[in-house]
Amino acid sequence: MTLEANSSTSLKNQAVQERWGGTNFPEQLDHAFWMNHSVVRGYQNRLATGSAACDWLTWLANDWLPTDKPLRVLVLGCGDGWLERAIAGRHFVDKIDAVDIAGDAVERARKAAEHAGITNIHYGVLDLNHATLPERAYDVVIAHSVLHHIENLEHAFATISASLKPDGWIAINEFVGPAHLQYSDRAMAAISELMSALPARLRCSALFDKAVYDLKHRPGLEQAIADDPSEGVRAPELDGFIRQWFSVAYETDIGGTVLQLLLWDMVNNFREDCALDRSLLEWICLLEETLVVSANLPSDYRFYICQARGAEAEPAIEACRPKRLAPSRDLPTRSTPPTNSGPPTNAREHSTAVARALTRSAESAFAGAKPWLLSALREAETGAHDAPMIWLGGPRELADGLVQSFPKLMPMGVKALLAIVRAGSATLVISRPAGLPIRKIAALALMLRRRGSIVMLEPTGAQAPADLAARFGQCLASAVDRSWAQPEHGLRIERDQPACARSDQRLHPVNTGGQLLGPILGTFGAQLAADEQADAAEVLSGIEAVLARENVLPPTVIIRVQALPGIPSLVAALVTGRILELAPEGARY
């Protein structure tokens, strides 16, 4: 049997052959593919092998494959042939069969091997949906980003399994995400948040004359199928087929859930020789890893090393396993000097970017809390939702965030007093009540002729998990040539909310940001120029927003709505300092 005899002629597979065999789409991949950056490759290397400097193929060849006998290797989905050329020179590799459904791609691979003087690779055109491989012929089978293009998985896995020798190995590096790239709403929410945080210079298209993306959209199903009917056609089922047909010796998540769509056609905007750009990209990679580790998002790519069913496991398998979530010292090192290590021109510049990012976070957080807060005010039966809202103090970013969601909110002053007199009621918005003089609140309360409400904004003092902050901090430390304390362990996610937020239904947790942005830019911000600081603050605030929505970061503020049961009770409570116990029994907020 010759491999060429198994090419497919179905109309659907002809479309696949034309897409991957032509030159237009492969050229687009050269410019737009999301993995086309050393930071992304280093991130995936670290997840797969434990070291950013060691790719999965090198690790497979060095640490897993037997070296005491000549090996016959099969490469599935060879494309232009980079993979088989990378291992052809290994002393333990005897012969390589490399196959692909796209005949033109196979021909390019054949010519590249000839040009390189490689003589031990045999190429063939083969469609795994229908073709039958020779039985018990191969010591090693390598499937890299090919199985998610196969529709007839039952036949493909049966023939691949049969082609392995009894002691054979198969390495699988695959997309196992949603069929036809129909990303989940949760993944799209994270991608949209990051797109809104990225500066315009990082959102330029490489394929469309440097046009700037505003958003990234989930591909329409009909268009995705028209572009490539094989793309992820049964990808979600791959994990089950792999476990059914092979004995899994090693497996690990290698990300891609956020990065694939986010970075497509934009990854080259992150300059390889710019330390800050590399840090921003490392932050995005670390965000994706955090979401996967905390089980908020699945990993769309996985790496497996398997044996043929019935083969005895190698005794050294456990020793070969890399540490999952290696310490941050394994992040890619860089020799590139910082683009600008000088301090900003004045102290105001240092705080402006941070304040702008915090204000943006607060606006987003209170916009999300608005429906809950309005409902709580109505349930207080005070009519306070129609009365003026008076701001009695607190951090400026909280005030700015509230004003965006509640345009009627006004600071305490003559205008506010006149509004209270006219309405006879008000909603008092108080931040950090312990810091306000009781006389001021009591005097204001005496002006209320009808019952009002109090909205308490109680800072929780919550911080990001120390090792999470350290890992994000380490990314920027390299850019500014400063050190950050290394975490003792890998990434640990603390998902529990504060006890008060879980036990009391009258409380609403809100995240106004700053748990990562504060300590990181507080430590390194002075080493960045103003424009660099602004980019870092915006990206980090977007990352915080994603982590907060997924409950990876704890809330920074607890909103408590309380009805005022009348002036005498209010004054008595203020005098005794029991302002937090004024909500009537049985109230539901």
Side-chain angles (χ1 to χ4, degrees):
M1 184 197 76
T2 61
L3 295 174
E4 283 83 352
N6 292 291
S7 59
S8 170
T9 57
S10 71
L11 292 177
K12 180 184 291 185
N13 287 328
Q14 281 182 0
V16 176
Q17 292 176 30
E18 291 173 1
R19 179 174 177 84
W20 292 96
T23 58
N24 185 45
F25 185 64
E27 286 179 358
Q28 286 187 3
L29 290 180
D30 289 341
H31 292 95
F33 192 47
W34 65 280
M35 294 184 192
N36 289 349
H37 199 288
S38 62
V39 167
V40 178
R41 292 192 295 271
Y43 159 69
Q44 288 204 303
N45 289 346
R46 179 171 57 82
L47 295 182
T49 72
S51 171
C54 181
D55 64 82
W56 65 271
L57 187 59
T58 300
W59 188 60
L60 173 72
N62 290 343
D63 289 25
W64 287 86
L65 301 184
T67 59
D68 57 350
K69 62 178 182 179
L71 302 179
R72 188 177 179 189
V73 179
L74 172 64
V75 176
L76 301 174
C78 65
D80 287 346
W82 69 268
L83 195 154
E84 60 270 19
R85 293 197 298 272
I87 62 173
R90 297 275 179 170
H91 70 278
F92 50 83
V93 174
D94 182 18
K95 297 179 181 179
I96 301 176
D97 288 340
V99 298
D100 197 284
I101 192 174
D104 291 343
V106 168
E107 187 58 30
R108 290 195 296 270
R110 193 195 316 269
K111 291 180 178 179
E114 291 176 357
H115 182 74
I118 299 173
T119 60
N120 62 339
I121 303 176
H122 173 228
Y123 283 100
V125 179
L126 183 145
D127 180 4
L128 284 171
N129 286 290
H130 311 290
T132 300
L133 297 167
E135 294 187 6
R136 297 195 171 197
Y138 299 106
D139 301 287
V140 180
V141 175
I142 302 176
H144 177 246
S145 294
V146 59
L147 298 178
H148 71 276
H149 289 283
I150 306 302
E151 186 170 8
N152 190 356
L153 292 178
E154 292 80 3
H155 171 79
F157 273 87
T159 192
I160 293 170
S161 177
S163 73
L164 278 174
K165 294 180 180 179
D167 60 347
W169 292 85
I170 179 169
I172 301 172
N173 188 319
E174 269 298 339
F175 174 77
V176 294
H180 300 296
L181 304 181
Q182 296 304 291
Y183 301 104
S184 69
D185 290 344
R186 223 165 169 179
M188 291 305 303
I191 292 168
S192 297
E193 190 71 52
L194 290 172
M195 284 295 293
S196 67
L198 287 175
R201 68 177 182 84
L202 297 179
R203 291 185 278 111
C204 295
S205 167
L207 300 177
F208 302 103
D209 297 325
K210 293 297 181 180
V212 177
Y213 284 101
D214 290 325
L215 290 173
K216 287 292 185 74
H217 299 283
R218 180 192 292 115
L221 180 58
E222 292 185 2
Q223 186 60 51
I225 294 175
D227 289 342
D228 185 351
S230 74
E231 185 61 65
V233 59
R234 294 179 67 184
E237 302 176 56
L238 284 176
D239 185 78
F241 274 91
I242 291 169
R243 298 180 192 283
Q244 175 186 345
W245 286 96
F246 305 111
S247 296
V248 178
Y250 172 75
E251 60 181 305
T252 188
D253 296 328
I254 53 175
T257 314
V258 172
L259 297 184
Q260 179 168 235
L261 180 59
L262 177 71
L263 297 181
W264 169 259
D265 195 27
M266 294 185 352
V267 69
N268 290 328
N269 295 320
F270 294 85
R271 296 161 292 179
E272 289 275 7
D273 60 350
C274 175
L276 178 66
D277 283 5
R278 295 177 66 89
S279 294
L280 299 181
L281 192 50
E282 284 179 1
W283 277 347
I284 297 171
C285 293
L286 185 52
L287 168 67
E288 178 185 82
E289 181 184 5
T290 304
L291 294 175
V292 171
V293 171
S294 60
N296 285 291
L297 288 179
S299 176
D300 279 359
Y301 284 79
R302 287 184 66 78
F303 175 51
Y304 304 81
I305 300 177
C306 310
Q307 288 186 288
R309 279 288 182 190
E312 292 186 7
E314 292 285 335
I317 282 179
E318 280 299 323
C320 290
R321 293 181 185 273
K323 302 281 187 190
R324 185 71 178 95
L325 293 168
S328 58
R329 62 177 176 272
D330 284 339
L331 289 170
T333 57
R334 331 191 240 293
S335 57
T336 306
T339 50
N340 190 332
S341 59
T345 56
N346 57 60
R348 178 170 295 181
E349 286 185 4
H350 170 62
S351 61
T352 298
V354 176
R356 187 163 51 244
L358 285 174
T359 299
R360 174 180 173 273
S361 298
E363 290 173 4
S364 176
F366 283 116
K370 184 176 181 179
W372 176 90
L373 187 53
L374 290 176
S375 175
L377 292 175
R378 291 188 180 100
E379 287 192 28
E381 296 181 351
T382 63
H385 55 285
D386 294 324
M389 298 184 69
I390 312 301
W391 174 259
L392 292 181
R396 177 58 186 269
E397 61 269 14
L398 294 184
D400 289 342
L402 276 172
V403 168
Q404 290 297 318
S405 296
F406 301 94
K408 294 182 179 180
L409 182 67
M410 63 184 74
M412 187 59 201
V414 174
K415 182 178 179 181
L417 291 174
L418 292 175
I420 293 173
V421 170
R422 285 195 298 267
S425 182
T427 298
L428 311 183
V429 182
I430 304 175
S431 176
R432 294 193 175 96
L436 288 174
I438 288 178
R439 292 192 308 275
K440 178 184 289 188
I441 302 178
L444 183 60
L446 289 173
M447 299 180 62
L448 302 179
R449 295 195 291 270
R450 296 198 300 269
R451 297 197 309 176
S453 294
I454 291 182
V455 177
M456 308 296 298
L457 304 179
E458 305 170 35
T460 64
Q463 298 179 345
D467 47 358
L468 181 61
R471 296 195 75 196
F472 275 93
Q474 177 60 37
C475 296
L476 188 58
S478 302
V480 298
D481 199 23
R482 288 273 299 277
S483 60
W484 182 278
Q486 296 288 338
E488 296 180 0
H489 307 286
L491 189 61
R492 296 192 307 274
I493 303 301
E494 301 173 8
R495 302 186 66 193
D496 286 344
Q497 297 283 2
C500 62
R502 296 196 306 270
S503 61
D504 193 335
Q505 294 182 0
R506 295 171 298 168
L507 304 178
H508 184 77
V510 166
N511 200 306
T512 57
Q515 300 102 309
L516 293 174
L517 191 152
I520 292 174
L521 288 190
T523 301
F524 299 131
Q527 276 68 50
L528 298 173
D531 58 338
E532 295 174 325
Q533 189 181 111
D535 288 351
E538 288 299 314
V539 172
L540 200 53
S541 67
I543 289 172
E544 282 184 346
V546 175
L547 294 178
R549 185 176 57 249
E550 299 294 349
N551 292 331
V552 176
L553 290 179
T556 53
V557 171
I558 297 294
I559 301 178
R560 185 193 299 260
V561 177
Q562 300 169 217
L564 303 183
I567 292 175
S569 298
L570 173 61
V571 175
L574 289 171
V575 172
T576 59
R578 299 180 62 208
I579 193 170
L580 297 184
E581 300 179 11
L582 291 177
E585 287 191 31
R588 294 174 292 111
Y589 305 118

